[in-house]
Amino acid sequence: MTDAARHTAVIGAGWAGCAAAVELAAAGRVVTLFEAARTPGGRARQVTFHGLSLDNGQHILLGAYRDTLRLMRQVGIDPDTAMLRLPLQMRYPPGSGMDFVAPALPAPWHLLVALWRASGLTRTDKLALMRFSSAARWMDWHLNTDCSVTELLARFDQTATLVQLMWRPLCIAALNTPPERASAQVFLNVLKDSLGARRASSDMLLPRCDLSSLFPDQAARYVEQHHGRLLAGTRITGIVQQDGGWQLASAATTHHADDIVLATDNGNAATLLAPLTDVSALQALNHEPITTCYLQYPPDRRLPEPFHALIDDPQQQRWGQFVFDRGQLDTRHDGLFAVVVSASTEAIAAGQATLAAAIAQQLAQAFSRPELTVPIWSQVISEKRATFSCTPGLLRPDHRTAFASLMLAGDYTASAYPATIESAVRSGVTAARALLANDE
Ligand SMILES: Cc1cc2nc3c(=O)[nH]c(=O)nc-3n(C[C@H](O)[C@H](O)[C@H](O)COP(=O)(O)OP(=O)(O)OC[C@H]3O[C@@H](n4cnc5c(N)ncnc54)[C@H](O)[C@@H]3O)c2cc1C
């Protein structure tokens, strides 16, 4: 580092901001990472409940998360030990729904054999799924005009069973938007990167440690080792251009930077940019909630697999869509199950206590184990603005702004992906590289 090294402010230490900070620090920038909360991680972070280190929501990553896995390695996290790698699967509790698991064969044989062996699907279902898969490949996973996932599935004559057991859960899990309102093009993009790619890309990765330890904490350390710093508990309240650079205001003081990566959520980005430029694109996004219900049982309670899909039916108060047996990921979590409800507006309206009781009841019925009705404790955590609503033809803001020295990063910025850890990380990398390109 020289005195002439450029100083970059990264505002927001979620996964997008951490990715941008690592990329910039590695390229020799002096980075200050400003985070309003006490710890980095944003919407994918560690929280403490009942003395246990948990997450603000159970997450799942994919083998296709190329940049996330690369940056984890760069900061010293080994993805192979930090996460449990499972083949692509959709496994309902034994005797219900379907059982679909990709074997260790090269693509596309892993999918074909998985389909051939899958239980719970009729020959008609399997043929419909094969038709969908080959048509999507033939179209190169591209639609001339975007439509809803429901319309796409109808166009390819997908059976009611496939929609219920495969497509709806996949769509809600990946896009956090119900198929009736979800973008078919973004759904196809996700399928292309997982189902349409190498077998390893379709693998499912379950974190064994908390989400802050998985990348953000170590990313902050990496920045510090490269002459930068993390200022946690520091909310930036205003930015103005000054002397060819930027002045940033926080409650305590002001800070100078040559350039900025603004890596907050879209709402906070709009607030900071409103005095400087048009922010209508940042304000145009709607959001969907995600709820995770943790249920603690005696430590010897186990599920057959590390995670299962569940048949949800809000009419019957069956809210859970996936259940994770945390004890199979981390022995400190023996007997702890995490049940995920995506696009959870209706579930939240039920109230926390009612929701937790209904989910425990759903588990007891789904696994035919009455003892699961009564957990030792339960904890519901709802993230009301978990992701943007991923609707057809949605125009997402570009990472470039009206200022060459100020880039946007965040899962909401323009990308082929829905709001995920990987889209956040890729946006951070893109914003950082765009700033670095200004130097060339
Ligand atoms: C419950 C839940 C479950 C999810 N499940 C999955 C999943 O299974 N797989 C997956 O890939 N993705 C999942 N996601 C989505 C994923 O977590 C997000 O896409 C990703 O974390 C977004 O990262 P980000 O950096 O873009 O934004 P954020 O995480 O929102 O980061 C923005 C940061 O900016 C900070 N900030 C805001 N304003 C200021 C300011 N003025 N000054 C300083 N700091 C500020 C915030 O405190 C925050 O830390 C899930 C999300 C949730 C909430």
Side-chain angles (χ1 to χ4, degrees):
M1 189 190 62
T2 67
D3 287 347
R6 285 180 73 86
H7 286 66
T8 304
V10 178
I11 306 176
W15 286 61
C18 287
V22 168
E23 199 78 6
L24 289 159
R29 291 293 181 97
V30 179
V31 176
T32 305
L33 186 49
F34 295 95
E35 172 51 50
R38 280 184 292 111
T39 52
R43 276 171 284 153
R45 66 175 189 288
Q46 185 269 349
V47 292
T48 303
F49 286 125
H50 300 269
L52 290 179
S53 180
L54 302 172
D55 295 319
N56 66 313
Q58 174 67 48
H59 279 56
I60 189 162
L61 289 77
L62 295 177
Y65 283 14
R66 183 192 65 218
D67 279 304
T68 306
L69 299 176
R70 174 180 66 79
L71 284 183
M72 273 182 194
R73 290 194 186 93
Q74 187 165 336
V75 301
I77 303 284
D78 175 10
D80 296 329
T81 50
M83 291 183 283
L84 174 65
R85 185 177 271 270
L86 295 173
L88 176 73
Q89 54 192 271
M90 189 69 90
R91 313 194 74 168
Y92 286 83
S96 69
M98 69 170 184
D99 198 43
F100 177 99
V101 191
L105 291 172
W109 296 105
H110 68 311
L111 291 181
L112 291 172
V113 174
L115 192 56
W116 178 255
R117 288 186 189 158
S119 64
L121 297 180
T122 62
R123 191 161 169 272
T124 313
D125 298 323
K126 293 181 183 183
L127 288 175
L129 191 51
M130 274 165 79
R131 255 199 327 274
F132 179 93
S133 168
S134 44
R137 276 166 210 269
W138 181 76
M139 292 164 12
D140 196 20
W141 311 88
H142 178 75
L143 294 172
N144 288 332
T145 311
D146 201 359
C147 61
S148 73
V149 170
T150 300
E151 279 174 75
L152 178 78
L153 299 177
R155 212 178 282 171
F156 290 108
D157 296 323
Q158 296 302 283
T159 61
T161 305
L162 275 179
V163 171
Q164 185 194 25
L165 299 181
M166 177 78 118
W167 295 127
R168 188 169 185 280
L170 268 184
C171 174
I172 292 200
L175 275 63
N176 192 30
T177 310
E180 315 76 84
R181 291 192 281 112
S183 160
Q185 184 56 67
V186 178
F187 189 53
L188 284 173
N189 296 342
V190 174
L191 295 182
K192 178 185 182 182
D193 259 18
S194 44
L195 304 190
R198 292 180 312 130
R199 193 192 76 229
S201 299
S202 68
D203 284 348
M204 299 172 135
L205 312 178
L206 307 188
R208 291 183 182 280
C209 58
D210 68 72
L211 289 167
S212 297
S213 311
L214 193 59
F215 176 63
D217 285 348
Q218 196 59 26
R221 243 166 258 139
Y222 182 94
V223 168
E224 281 161 6
Q225 286 157 2
H226 289 75
H227 313 290
R229 61 190 173 149
L230 164 71
L231 292 183
T234 307
R235 173 175 290 279
I236 297 302
T237 53
I239 50 178
V240 286
Q241 280 190 297
Q242 197 179 59
D243 304 330
W246 294 91
Q247 181 137 32
L248 294 83
S250 64
T253 181
T254 56
H255 314 262
H256 179 80
D258 296 304
D259 36 32
I260 295 180
V261 175
L262 183 48
T264 66
D265 55 282
N266 61 301
N268 279 298
T271 306
L272 287 172
L273 285 180
L276 305 174
T277 185
D278 173 26
V279 292
S280 48
L282 285 166
Q283 291 168 326
L285 302 174
N286 295 315
H287 290 84
E288 303 275 350
I290 301 180
T291 297
T292 302
C293 178
Y294 289 104
L295 299 147
Q296 178 70 65
Y297 295 100
D300 58 347
R301 298 287 146 85
R302 274 270 190 276
L303 294 180
E305 303 295 334
F307 85 108
H308 290 269
L310 297 169
I311 298 178
D312 66 329
D313 183 357
Q315 306 289 326
Q316 302 293 320
Q317 308 289 303
R318 284 199 285 267
W319 304 103
Q321 295 151 355
F322 289 93
V323 56
F324 295 76
D325 179 354
R326 303 263 340 146
Q328 296 192 41
L329 303 168
D330 179 345
T331 50
R332 288 168 299 185
H333 292 175
D334 278 343
L336 181 68
F337 300 166
V339 177
V340 175
V341 187
S342 294
S344 58
T345 305
E346 276 182 82
I348 291 172
Q352 291 202 358
T354 309
L355 181 58
I359 286 177
Q361 181 77 34
Q362 180 186 2
L363 289 183
Q365 282 174 357
F367 290 94
S368 305
R369 286 168 58 179
E371 74 277 13
L372 297 182
T373 315
V374 189
I376 299 168
W377 56 256
S378 62
Q379 179 75 49
V380 173
I381 173 163
S382 290
E383 287 276 356
K384 296 223 167 90
R385 292 166 67 85
T387 69
F388 65 85
S389 195
C390 192
T391 49
L394 186 68
L395 285 178
R396 289 156 66 179
D398 194 64
H399 66 279
R400 292 187 184 279
T401 66
F403 312 95
S405 57
L406 192 158
M407 300 289 166
L408 295 177
D411 61 356
Y412 68 88
T413 56
S415 129
Y417 259 42
T420 56
I421 280 186
E422 177 69 0
S423 60
V425 166
R426 283 192 195 173
S427 75
V429 171
T430 304
R433 289 185 181 166
L435 282 186
L436 294 169
N438 287 342
D439 299 348
E440 288 165 5

